[in-house]
Structures are given as C-alpha cells and as structure tokens.
Amino acid sequence: MSGAVHEFTARPLRWVPYVAPVRLEEATAEQRDAMKVTPSNKKISDYVLTLAHDPESLAVRSPLFNAIMYGKEGLPPGERELGAVAASVVNRCVYCVSVHAARYIQLTKREDVIAAIFDGGEHPELDEYSQAIFDFAAALSQTPSAVRAEHVRALRDQGLGEGDIIDLILASSIFGWANRLMHTLGEPRAD
C-alpha cells in the first residue's frame, strides 16, 4: 500500500516522486539554470527537481507556466486557478486539485465553490459566473472538441472578453500537461 491520497481536498498534500529527484548539490550547471537556482532562491520542490532530469524541457516549462498562471493582465488569478481546478478534477489529479483549490480559496475567499466542486465532481452546481468558467475548462479537459459555442457564449454572458477566454484556455490546457506529469512521475501523500 503506497499511502497515496485519492480523494479531493484543499488541504496541503506532499507529492512523492517515483524516481529519484536530481540532488541539488549534484545538479549540473544546465540543471541549476533550468531550475533558476540562485543564491537567494535555493528552495526547489521535489517536482521541479524531478523535472530537472530533462533540463532543456524544464527551462521552457517554468517560464511558460509562470506566464500563463501569474500574468499581470487578463483573466484574474482566481479564475485561472478555477480553470486549473476544473482540468485537474477531470484528470483526477488529486495533488494539483489540492494546491489550486487552496490557492483559489486564498484568492477569492470562496470556499463554497470548492466545496460544491468536491460534492459534484465534474458536474458541480455553481453560481453562473463560476459555472461558466468551470464548465468551459472541464469540457476542454475532457477533449477539445467537447467545447461548444454555448460554452463560449456562457463565458461572454458573464463578461469575459476574448483575452480572458484565451487565458482560461491556456490555464486549463497547461494543467492537462501538468496533471499527466504529476500522475506518471509520482503520487500525492497526506503525510
């Protein structure tokens, strides 16, 4: 028995890799550069240390992730987190749900939205605004062709513009990738 957590939660979990992460003290210059290790930034997660086995990909992945999730303009950060939660629920990535549900609650103070998602899974009952965002991101995560004109219309009806919708597509899509990396490289643990 691995001790892996299988139920969605907004409590902090620990991600445990199946392969040995790169040891920071033994990292090559290319790996240290990809991890953005500086004298003031030495706290590197096991996830990033694991991805550092492929420094060329990590060097591209981290700036892309940061630009999509932490861009200063466009879709508000809480809505990006809701898109990440929807993608992670569809992909059953318990670790990503825990991290981004907690971040969504921190940003929006909307524990009720996350509780409804945990109750309803891929089909929660939410307020119209949150529902439009969740349903779009969930459909996109099931398969891109599942997104219909009514999904886009629902987002526009809630005031999202073209740039906001593109930001939601990017946030949801990068979690399709992140969820798969998390699933295949490790598992979430409560301890």
Side-chain angles (χ1 to χ4, degrees):
M1 181 166 212
S2 70
V5 176
H6 299 285
E7 300 300 322
F8 293 135
T9 179
R11 287 178 290 128
L13 297 176
R14 185 169 64 96
W15 183 80
V16 179
Y18 297 136
V19 297
V22 169
R23 294 173 53 98
L24 187 57
E25 61 275 12
E26 298 172 3
T28 66
E30 184 181 17
Q31 289 170 325
R32 295 179 71 82
D33 185 56
M35 292 186 281
K36 306 294 181 215
V37 177
T38 65
S40 63
N41 180 26
K42 291 183 178 174
K43 186 174 182 197
I44 310 293
S45 71
D46 280 346
Y47 179 61
V48 170
L49 288 166
T50 301
L51 295 181
H53 285 292
D54 183 357
E56 185 178 353
S57 295
L58 179 59
V60 176
R61 175 258 177 217
S62 296
L64 177 63
F65 181 89
N66 291 337
I68 290 171
M69 294 306 291
Y70 307 118
K72 296 193 184 315
E73 297 179 5
L75 191 67
E79 283 76 346
R80 294 175 203 220
E81 295 295 340
L82 184 55
V85 169
S88 300
V89 165
V90 169
N91 293 319
R92 297 281 316 158
C93 186
V94 171
Y95 182 81
C96 291
V97 167
S98 74
V99 170
H100 296 282
R103 181 81 175 127
Y104 174 82
I105 292 169
Q106 178 188 31
L107 291 166
T108 66
K109 314 299 182 213
R110 297 283 315 269
E111 291 183 40
D112 61 308
V113 170
I114 296 302
I117 292 169
F118 289 173
D119 284 345
E122 292 183 36
H123 307 287
E125 291 185 24
L126 306 171
D127 62 88
E128 286 184 72
Y129 183 75
S130 301
Q131 191 80 58
I133 292 169
F134 185 92
D135 287 349
F136 181 91
L140 182 64
S141 300
Q142 290 161 351
T143 182
S145 61
V147 174
R148 301 284 182 221
E150 54 265 26
H151 289 111
V152 176
R153 194 169 26 257
L155 291 173
R156 288 189 176 132
D157 288 348
Q158 295 303 314
L160 275 69
E162 296 296 321
D164 298 325
I165 295 170
I166 290 171
D167 286 344
L168 181 58
I169 291 168
L170 294 172
S172 306
S173 298
I174 201 164
F175 272 86
W177 181 37
N179 294 159
R180 284 159 181 79
L181 285 172
M182 285 288 195
H183 279 304
T184 55
L185 293 173
E187 63 185 15
R189 301 250 182 104
D191 56 0

